[in-house]
């Protein structure tokens, strides 16, 4: 690869996770653009916030709670996930304001990190979802703001 002067351009190698995340976002963005006739993604309410870089952190919804999270009896079947779910259950409003970095954020049905703990409970099997929630829990209990928690999660798990 060369730059505008013809000299070889230095490129930093991508980690496997960064490459996969970048590829998934590019595919999702291309698919979404084709599915809506090439209109800008921001013009489609369901895809608001989706960009070529991926979604930004969502705003937490007022009054959100843990009532839709996977029930504790089902979580006990997955011992590695118990601590993450126990902690996540105490901070649903924080998790609802965080973009998940495991790649699921490219799925339009996935709204926030809290979504990973609801429904089929993707976080039952995903160490990235679990790690993000546990980090958010620790930082929240140290008095960090949502903006500071987001920055820490982006620094550790972002691409």
């Amino acid at each position: 690869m060369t730059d505008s002067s013809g000299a070889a351009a230095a490129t930093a190698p991508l980690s496997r996770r960064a490459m996969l995340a970048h590829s998934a976002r590019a595919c999702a963005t291309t698919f979404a653009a084709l599915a809506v006739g090439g209109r800008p993604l921001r013009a489609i309410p369901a895809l608001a916030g989706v960009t070529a870089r991926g979604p930004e952190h969502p705003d937490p919804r007022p009054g959100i709670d843990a009532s839709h999270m996977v029930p504790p009896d089902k979580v006990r079947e997955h011992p590695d996930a118990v601590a993450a779910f126990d902690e996540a259950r105490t901070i649903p409003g924080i998790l609802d304001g965080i973009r998940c970095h495991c790649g699921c954020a490219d799925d339009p049905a996935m709204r926030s990190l809290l979504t990973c703990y609801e429904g089929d409970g993707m976080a039952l099997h995903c160490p990235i979802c679990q790690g993000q929630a546990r980090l958010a829990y620790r930082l929240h209990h140290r008095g960090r703001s949502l903006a500071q928690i987001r920055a820490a999660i982006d620094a550790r798990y972002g691409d």
Side-chain angles (χ1 to χ4, degrees), residues 2-156:
T2 59
D3 63 15
S4 59
S5 68
T11 58
L14 287 176
S15 69
R16 181 173 184 261
R17 181 175 20 173
M19 188 222 24
L20 290 172
H22 177 74
S23 298
R25 280 194 302 274
C27 290
T29 301
T30 302
F31 176 76
L34 292 172
V36 297
R39 289 187 294 161
L41 296 178
R42 293 184 214 284
I44 304 158
L47 297 175
V50 176
T51 66
R53 255 190 98 244
E56 299 301 320
H57 291 285
D59 290 328
R61 295 167 286 185
I64 196 72
D65 62 24
S67 62
H68 297 288
M69 288 181 67
V70 176
D73 58 325
K74 183 175 179 183
V75 175
R76 280 193 294 274
E77 298 170 11
H78 305 271
D80 293 342
V82 171
F85 272 81
D86 287 348
E87 292 171 357
R89 224 173 284 290
T90 68
I91 57 166
I94 299 294
L95 300 185
D96 197 48
I98 297 173
R99 172 186 182 257
C100 183
H101 284 286
C102 77
C104 68
D106 297 325
D107 179 348
M110 300 300 281
R111 182 191 186 287
S112 66
L113 181 56
L114 180 61
T115 310
C116 299
Y117 287 81
E118 298 175 330
D120 66 358
M122 179 186 151
L124 289 169
H125 309 285
C126 180
I128 295 171
C129 297
Q130 294 171 20
Q132 291 175 107
R134 299 205 68 197
L135 177 57
Y137 175 84
R138 285 191 309 274
L139 294 175
H140 174 71
H141 284 281
R142 290 181 190 155
R144 302 302 194 276
S145 68
L146 178 57
Q148 291 170 319
I149 294 169
R150 287 170 170 168
I153 287 175
D154 290 347
R156 177 174 277 166

